[in-house]
Amino acid sequence: MQLGLIGLGRMGDAMRQRLVRAGHEVVGYDRDPDVSDVPDLTSLVSSLAAPRVVWIMVPAGEATRATVTELAGLLEPGDLVIDGGNSRFTDDADHEALLASRGIGYLDCGVSGGIWGLDNGYGLMVGGRADLVERAMPLFDALRPEGPRDEGFVHAGGVGAGHYAKMVHNGIEYGLMQAYAEGWELLGATDVVTDVDGCFKAWTRGTVVRSWLLDLLVKALEQSPGLDGIDPFTPDSGEGRWTLQEAVDHAVPMPVTAAALFARFASRQDASPTMRMVSALRGQFGGHTVLTTRDTAASASTIPASDLR
Amino acid sequence: MQLGLIGLGRMGDAMRQRLVRAGHEVVGYDRDPDVSDVPDLTSLVSSLAAPRVVWIMVPAGEATRATVTELAGLLEPGDLVIDGGNSRFTDDADHEALLASRGIGYLDCGVSGGIWGLDNGYGLMVGGRADLVERAMPLFDALRPEGPRDEGFVHAGGVGAGHYAKMVHNGIEYGLMQAYAEGWELLGATDVVTDVDGCFKAWTRGTVVRSWLLDLLVKALEQSPGLDGIDPFTPDSGEGRWTLQEAVDHAVPMPVTAAALFARFASRQDASPTMRMVSALRGQFGGHTVLTTRDTAASASTIPASDLR
Amino acid sequence: MQLGLIGLGRMGDAMRQRLVRAGHEVVGYDRDPDVSDVPDLTSLVSSLAAPRVVWIMVPAGEATRATVTELAGLLEPGDLVIDGGNSRFTDDADHEALLASRGIGYLDCGVSGGIWGLDNGYGLMVGGRADLVERAMPLFDALRPEGPRDEGFVHAGGVGAGHYAKMVHNGIEYGLMQAYAEGWELLGATDVVTDVDGCFKAWTRGTVVRSWLLDLLVKALEQSPGLDGIDPFTPDSGEGRWTLQEAVDHAVPMPVTAAALFARFASRQDASPTMRMVSALRGQFGGHTVLTTRDTAASASTIPASDLR
Amino acid sequence: MQLGLIGLGRMGDAMRQRLVRAGHEVVGYDRDPDVSDVPDLTSLVSSLAAPRVVWIMVPAGEATRATVTELAGLLEPGDLVIDGGNSRFTDDADHEALLASRGIGYLDCGVSGGIWGLDNGYGLMVGGRADLVERAMPLFDALRPEGPRDEGFVHAGGVGAGHYAKMVHNGIEYGLMQAYAEGWELLGATDVVTDVDGCFKAWTRGTVVRSWLLDLLVKALEQSPGLDGIDPFTPDSGEGRWTLQEAVDHAVPMPVTAAALFARFASRQDASPTMRMVSALRGQFGGHTVLTTRDTAASASTIPASDLR
C-alpha cells in the first residue's frame, strides 16, 4: 500500500527500505532536502491518494507535536496518522483529539529494534482503535519480524498504549543493560577470573542469561577488548524517566529500574554533590581527611589506616 | 570417553542423557538406589578404568565437600574430579588442595541451562589447570550447545574461576528477571495498556529486550494468564548473595543486583520489621493512623485525607 | 497581630494555640462547626480588619485550591494569603496568579514539626516576595521554635520555594526513617545482640546517629516493645513521590530516597506482582518449586535442598 | 580507677582526657614515643596494679589482633581487656578465647561520638559477661554522656554484641548521611529554591529531620558555602560493608544502607566500568553516539536531539 513517511533519519530511512522491500510505496519527507522525496508536507500530502496513511518518525516532543499540528491542517477526513517515534504516551491523547477534530484517525506505535531492524524487523506495540489498526496492518506486517504476528506485534490497547508499552520496554532495557554491566565490572575486579570477555562470549549459548543484548555486548567487547577508551558518560532519551514517574504515580516499587536510571544520571556528573556533602560531613564528625581536589584523590590510597572514627 | 557421574537429580540425570547421546560411557551414582548404577562410591571408582574422570553434581556445601573427601580416599593419582555443582568459589581451593595431596586433579565447572540443557546444551564455565581442561574437553564438548566452542564454553581461569563466573552469571540473572518483572507490574498497574501479556509475547522478536528469559516468561504467562495463583515467595539458592558479598569485598557498586536480591528477601517476609518501625515512627511525629493488623490494612483506603503531617 | 486561620485539624488547632500564646488574635474557620469561630469564609473575612492575613491549613490539592479560589472572591486588594499546608510546589504559581489578579498577596509556607510543634515550635520554610514575608514575620516568629530566627525559619526563595523545601525535607525524612528501621531489622535478625531496643535508647546521647527521630523511635519502642502488633502498612502523603519526580526531572540520582519510597509502596501490597513473576520464571528454567498460595509459603522451609538450578 | 590505655590517636587521646577529668588514673601507651607514658606493653602492664583493666584503642584488624595476642602473654588471670576499637564483631570470639585461655576477661565496646566525644561524651555499646561489664562500669560512666545511663550506654549482649551494635550504628549513619546529601543535591539542582544552605540551617530546630548530623552539616556549609572545593571521594572504614554482609547472611533487605555504601564506592571511581559497558551497549543497538574520552563529555550537551533509538 501507499505510505507517507515523515523523518528519514537513522530509523526512518531503514524503515523505508524495509517497507519498500515488502512491496509498499513510500513517499518520504525529511527537512534535509538531500534525502527527501518532496519539498514539504503539503507536497507530501498532495502526492498521496486519499484515504492517506502518514507515518511520523521524528524526535518526540516539539518536533512531533509540530508535525501533527501541521498535518491536521493538511490532511482530509478519513486519513490516518501514525506516530512511530518515541513520544511520551501522555502526548497521544492530545494528538488524537487534534486530528479527530478534523476527522483524521490516529495510532501510536512504539518501535523497537534500533539499527538492526532493517534486517531483523522491528518489534511493534500499537495503541488506538481496532479498525484503524486493521487498516494499517499491511504496514505493520512489513515492518515486524518474520514469524507469527503476535511474536513481534501487539495491539496493546487504546490511544497511548503503544507508546506506553514502548516506554516500559525501554525501562526494562535499562535494567537489563545495567545487570549485565554490573556483572562485568565485578568480573573485572577479581583476580579469580582471567578471561572476563570470554565469559561473556561463552554465555551467548545455552545459559540462562543469553539474549540479544548479550550478543551485542560480545560484539562491543570484540570491537574494543576491555571496552578500553569508552567513556562512562551515558545519556538517556526519556523513556526511563517516564517509566519511573509512572511507577511513582501508580505506587509500583521499581528499584532495579530506578537504580539503572540513577546510574546513568551519575555517569554524567563530574563531581557528585551528594558525595561532596557526605565527604564533608564525614570530616566534621570524624576528623577524617576530606579531599579537596580530584588530583588529591589520585593519592587517596595513602589515607592513613588510623583514619577511623 | 568414560565418566563417573555422582548425583542423578534433575540436572545430573539430564546431563547423563546428553553425555550418552554423544557416545560417552557414563557410570552414575546416586544415593537413591532406584536410579543409581552402582551401590556406592567404592563401586563407582572400581567400575572405572584409570585414569578416571569423576563429575560431581550434588548440592553445594556439605554434600559436595563430603563427596570430595570420600573421593580423595578412593581415587588414585592421575584421576580427575570435576565439581559441576553450584559450589561457592571459595570452596574450590580447599577441594583442589585435598585432592592434590593424593595426586588427583581438580576442575570446577559452572553449569547453566537448567532443565532445558538436555536439548539445548549447557553453558559451561571452567576453572583449573589447562592440561586438565584439555583432558576433559570431550565431555565439555558433549555438554555444551552446538556451535562454536567459545559461544558455550569458557576456560575462565584457575581453580575457582568456573564457579566464580557462574556466580556472577546468576547475579546477572537475578537482575534480568527483576527488570522484566518490574515492567510487568507497571503494565498491570495502568489502565492504558489492556493486553499486558500480549506485550510480553510481542517483545520476543525484533525488540531490544528479547531473550531466552523472555521466552520463558511468555511460556509462564501462557500457562497461567496474569500469573494467577502464583505466590510471590521466592527462594534464593546462594549465588546472588555471594555475588553481593564479592561486590562489597571489591568495592564494586551493584545496585541492580542488590535490589533484585533484596526483593527476594522481602518476598519471604510476612511483615517487614523495617516497615513496622517506619509505620510506628510515622505515628509518633504525625499523629498518623498506625495500623495494627493486616486485616485493618484491608480498609486502609479509608485513611482520612486529612491525615497529613 | 490579627490572623484568619482556615483549617482547625490536628495541625491547625495546635498552631492556633501557639499563635494565641504569643499574643496574636486568631479567628479560626473549620468546616466542622463545633470547632469553628465563624460559620463560613465570608464571615471570616468580614471579621478581620483590612489589610487581612489569612492562613490556609487544609489538605493539599482540591481542598486548598477550592479555598484559595473562594478567598480570591472574598478578600480585598492588599490582603495576604499564606498556604501552610503540604501543597505541591507546582500549585503555588497558580494560586499566586489567581490572587494577584485581585491584588491579593500570596506566600507559601512549609511547616514541619507535627504534633510536637505546639510546644517545640514549627520549622518554617517560606516562599514569596520579601515584603510580604516581612509583613507576616510576627506570625512566623510566633510559630517557629525559640532561638535564632535562621535556625527554625528560612525565606527559601520566590513563590513555591517554601513548599519545595518542605517537599525535600520530607523526602529526606523518608530516607532517615528507613535507615534507622533497616538497622533495627538487622539487629533483630541476629542472635548476637540481645537488647535491641536498648541499643536504640543508648544511641540517643553521644552517638553520631542521635536525632529527634531517634528519640521518637525510643518512645515508640517503649510504648510497644519490639513494636509488637504494629502493621507494616505505611501510607505516603505525597512529598516523597514529588521529590522523586523532581529528581527524575533534574537528573539527580536519589537512590536512598527512592528506596525508602518504594519500601512504603511495597508495604501496602499483599502479593508483589513483580515477585510473582520472578517466582514463576524461576520455576520455568530451573524446575524449582513455585508456591501457589501464601499458606504454602508457611512451609517454605521444607523446599528441598536439592532445589538447585 | 586505674586503666591502661593502648592507642593515643585522635580517639584514644580524647578518651584519656575525659577519663582523667572524671578522676581516673590512665597509663597510656602508643607506638609514638612522644605521646606515650611507657616505652612498651610490658612496661604498661607492670605499671598497673592487679587486677588490671587494659583498654585497646587501635585500628581494627591486624593491629588489634597483635595487641590482644601480646597482652595475652603479659597479663595475669583476673585481668580484663576491653577492645574499644572498630573491630569486626567476628573478631571478638577469637580475642575472648585467646584471653580466656589465660584466665583474662574480655569485653568489646563500640564507641561513637568522634572528635566531639571529649566534651559531649561517647555513646557506648558493650558486649560480654555481666560481671565484667559491672567491673568496668566506672570507666563507662566516665566516658558516656551525662544523663541517664541507658541513654548513652547499653550492655547489648554477649561477646561481640558491642561491636555488632556499633557496626549497625554505622550502617545507619551511612544511610542518614546519604539521605541529607541527596536532598541537598536536589535543592541545588532546582531554580525554585535560592537559599539552599539556609534551608539546612532552618531545619536544625523544630523540624522532623533535626539531628546532630544536620547540625554538623550546617557547620560544614558555614565553613565552605556550597561545599565548594570539597571532593566527592569518600572512603569507608568497614562497618558499612560488614553491615551489608550481615544483611545478606540474614536475608534482611537493606536497600537504603546498600545504596549509601554503593554511593561511596562509586565516589572513588574515575570511570565506572559498569557505565562504560552500558554506554558501549547503547551504541551497539541504537547507533547512539558513544563518547570515548571524558574531554568529549564536556561537550555532551551537543548530542543531537535526533539521537533516538
Side-chain angles (χ1 to χ4, degrees), chain D residues 4 7-8 18 53 82 90 99-100 143 154 160 205-206 217 231 235 244 252 257 283 290 292 301 305:
Chain D
L8 301 171
R18 190 166 172 94
V53 180
I82 303 172
T90 46
L99 293 164
L143 290 169
V154 65
R205 289 180 191 255
L217 281 175
D231 192 277
L244 191 51
V252 171
T257 311
V290 176
T292 51
S301 58

Side-chain angles (χ1 to χ4, degrees), chain C residues 160-177:
Chain C
H163 282 139
Y164 199 102
K166 178 58 166 31
M167 174 191 80
V168 174
H169 165 282
N170 282 29
I172 291 171
E173 175 191 301
Y174 279 42
L176 302 180
M177 291 166 79

